[in-house]
Amino acid sequence: MGWVAAVRMEGPELKEWHVLEGKARFAYEPGLLALREGPLLEAAFRGLSQWPELLMVNATGRDHPRKAGLAVHLGVVLGVPTLGVTRSPLCAEGSLPSNERGSRSPLFYEGQCVAYWVRTKTGVAPLVVHPGWRVEAEEAVRIVLSWTRRYRTPEPLRQARKKARQARSSHLLRVERELG
DNA sequence: GCGACAG
DNA sequence: ATCTTGTCGC
C-alpha cells in the first residue's frame, strides 16, 4: 500500500491538500517509478479543487535511463509545469557544490547537464533539483531556493510528506485497533 | 558475480 | 523507502 498527498501552497500558506491511499503495482525498481507510483500521484493531484501553476515532485526529471523520470511523466499527463527534487541522482554524476546555501553544481548524464546539486541550507547535504515539464533548470533552482530557508526540504514537499505520513499512521492505528 | 539503485 | 544510533543546536 502507498499513501500520497498533494498540497497547494501560496507562499507560507497551506491552501488545500488531498491525501489518498492506493496500491503500488509492483515492487520498487529504479527507473520504473512512474509505472509503479505515477497513477497514485496523478490521482492525488487531480483531487485538488484548484490547480497550482507549478507542481513540485519528489522524483527525477531527465536524470533517467530513458530521459523521462516521474516528474516529466506527471507534467505531460497533467499538463502542468513540473520540477523534481530528490535526495540523490538516479543516473547523473557530478561533484558536490560548496558549503553555502545557494551554491550549485551540474549533474551530467550521457554528456548532458540534466540536473543540479543545490545547497538549500548551509552545511547540510545538498538536494538534487531536476527541471521537469516546461520548467528550465535555472528556474527550477530559483524556485526550490525560494521555498527553502529553515529546512533543507522545500516547504511544499515537507507539507505533503507530513500529510501522507499522518494518513498512513492513522490507518495503521485503525488496523491495529481492529485486530486488538 | 558484485555493487549500485529516484522512492 | 526503512531502521538504528549518536550528535548538535535552539
Side-chain angles (χ1 to χ4, degrees):
Chain A
M1 296 302 292
W3 284 262
V4 186
V7 304
R8 182 167 60 82
M9 298 190 72
E10 282 176 24
E13 262 187 279
L14 182 53
K15 290 293 188 177
E16 71 169 304
W17 63 89
H18 189 237
V19 191
L20 67 85
E21 164 188 312
K23 287 178 185 166
R25 300 185 165 184
F26 47 89
Y28 171 74
E29 200 169 328
L32 300 181
L33 197 61
L35 263 57
R36 169 177 154 81
E37 306 177 3
L40 276 177
L41 295 231
E42 182 191 348
F45 183 88
R46 290 194 191 281
L48 295 175
S49 65
Q50 191 178 321
W51 284 29
E53 51 193 280
L54 178 133
L55 172 61
M56 194 182 285
V57 196
N58 206 204
T60 71
R62 281 173 287 179
D63 172 18
H64 181 274
R66 292 166 294 285
K67 300 287 194 291
L70 176 53
V72 174
H73 281 245
L74 285 172
V76 172
V77 166
L78 295 166
V80 171
T82 62
L83 69 82
V85 177
T86 60
R87 283 192 344 172
S88 63
L90 176 57
C91 312
E93 297 175 345
S95 54
L96 296 176
S98 60
N99 231 17
E100 308 75 41
R101 165 178 158 82
S103 64
R104 67 207 68 178
S105 55
L107 281 156
F108 297 93
Y109 181 53
E110 292 179 351
Q112 303 249 74
C113 174
V114 295
Y116 282 89
W117 278 119
V118 176
R119 193 80 67 173
T120 56
K121 190 176 173 181
T122 299
V124 173
L127 290 174
V128 184
V129 174
H130 308 258
W133 182 245
R134 295 178 178 172
V135 176
E136 305 288 306
E138 291 306 317
E139 184 69 350
V141 170
R142 187 190 67 70
I143 291 168
V144 166
L145 283 171
S146 79
W147 284 102
T148 52
R149 181 62 69 178
R150 177 139 176 36
Y151 301 100
R152 172 169 87 133
T153 308
E155 209 53 30
L157 294 181
R158 287 189 70 238
Q159 297 301 322
R161 179 172 291 139
K162 186 181 295 186
K163 292 294 179 191
R165 294 177 82 104
Q166 282 172 356
R168 181 184 60 179
S169 171
S170 54
H171 176 269
L172 293 179
L173 285 171
R174 185 174 62 75
V175 170
E176 199 172 284
R177 175 156 40 78
E178 284 169 1
L179 296 179

